[in-house]
Amino acid sequence: QSVLTQPPSVSGAPGQRVTISCTGSKSNMGAGYDVHWYQQLPGTAPKLLIYGNSNRPSGVPARFSGSKSGTSASLAITGLQAEDEADYYCQCYDSSLSGSWVFGGGTKLTVL
Amino acid sequence: QVQLQESGPGLVKPSETLSLTCTVSGDSITSYYWSWIRQPADKRLEWIGRIHSGGGAKYNPSLKSRVTMSVDTSKNQFSLKLTSVTAADTAVYYCSRVAYYYGSGSSDVWGQGTTVAVSS
């Protein structure tokens, strides 16, 4: 069981908007630590998608956005495209685990 | 453009030590923190730890008793050793570069990953 909780799967049709939630606790997000998101396409390494709750690294389309409030965070994808079909993971620092990084269990996004 | 490449045995026997190396190209290893992350077959990501060439390694408490990380600045490499492995350590192992944004770290560059199986 992961420290951060994500839905196992979400789906949407091309062009639609989907959101992926990530729920933490007082020792990670609730303590003010930032959330980061990764995209993992099939057979590849994870790729940083959002850092510092809502910032996109260079090259990441503006269709991807992140937000955080209290002990929860969300990743939103607008204008869904077939190539967005992937696994998505949230990550945060956790002060109760000697300063470890913790991940969500991952969410499989299916583009219908 | 920085690139990372993992290397090491793809098969390790139970109770033995898993040893992996990550070679960094395109950047100096002294400029950043570096981490190891693994992904078993259930696809969950697990942070193993991070290290800087200046020292001060930090490990996942669940693995701390078995993990050692080190940096070789002369070769621009960093390494992972995991002792007393069991089948539960079978996973894809990734090395990554740590980027800090207002004190919060994330992995902004990843190696392609190397699969390690623990089996006799």
Side-chain angles (χ1 to χ4, degrees):
Chain A
Q1 188 159 347
S2 301
V3 174
L4 305 179
T5 301
Q6 297 180 235
S9 63
V10 297
S11 62
Q16 285 190 332
R17 179 181 186 270
V18 297
T19 62
I20 298 172
S21 62
C22 176
T23 304
S25 66
K26 290 185 296 184
S27 60
N28 42 68
M29 286 189 242
Y33 298 113
D34 288 346
V35 173
H36 316 289
W37 291 90
Y38 300 89
Q39 177 193 59
Q40 186 174 31
L41 297 170
T44 69
K47 166 192 166 186
L48 183 63
L49 195 64
I50 298 286
Y51 67 93
N53 302 322
S54 59
N55 301 281
R56 285 175 286 105
S58 174
V60 173
R63 304 185 295 105
F64 295 91
S65 63
S67 64
K68 179 199 152 199
S69 178
T71 57
S72 293
S74 289
L75 173 70
I77 310 172
T78 58
L80 205 57
Q81 300 180 4
E83 59 260 35
D84 298 333
E85 187 160 294
D87 294 319
Y88 293 84
Y89 297 88
C90 57
Q91 174 242 314
C92 191
Y93 175 96
D94 193 294
S95 59
S96 72
L97 297 171
S98 301
S100 289
W101 288 10
V102 290
F103 287 92
T107 299
K108 170 66 177 179
L109 168 63
T110 300
V111 181
L112 302 171
Chain B
Q1 179 180 345
V2 60
Q3 292 185 316
L4 283 65
Q5 178 68 58
E6 304 91 348
S7 59
L11 180 64
V12 182
K13 290 183 168 54
S15 80
E16 295 190 344
T17 297
L18 179 161
S19 296
L20 296 175
T21 297
C22 183
T23 301
V24 179
S25 58
D27 204 348
S28 171
I29 201 165
T30 62
S31 301
Y32 291 89
Y33 283 85
W34 307 91
S35 74
W36 288 96
I37 294 165
R38 67 181 183 179
Q39 186 174 40
D42 66 6
K43 300 174 71 175
R44 292 177 183 268
L45 293 170
E46 181 178 33
W47 180 76
I48 300 171
R50 62 99 169 126
I51 190 168
H52 190 275
S53 60
K58 184 179 282 287
Y59 304 132
N60 186 323
S62 68
L63 299 169
K64 187 176 182 178
S65 64
R66 299 193 291 130
V67 172
T68 303
M69 293 182 185
S70 59
V71 175
D72 186 336
T73 56
S74 67
K75 296 181 179 179
N76 229 39
Q77 295 176 333
F78 64 104
S79 299
L80 167 70
K81 289 189 187 302
L82 181 65
T83 62
S84 305
V85 297
T86 69
D89 295 309
T90 294
V92 177
Y93 285 75
Y94 295 101
C95 60
S96 70
R97 186 179 76 175
V98 179
Y100 281 96
Y101 179 76
Y102 289 99
S104 179
S106 62
S107 286
D108 68 339
V109 181
W110 295 65
Q112 65 183 28
T114 187
T115 300
V116 178
V118 177
S119 176
S120 55

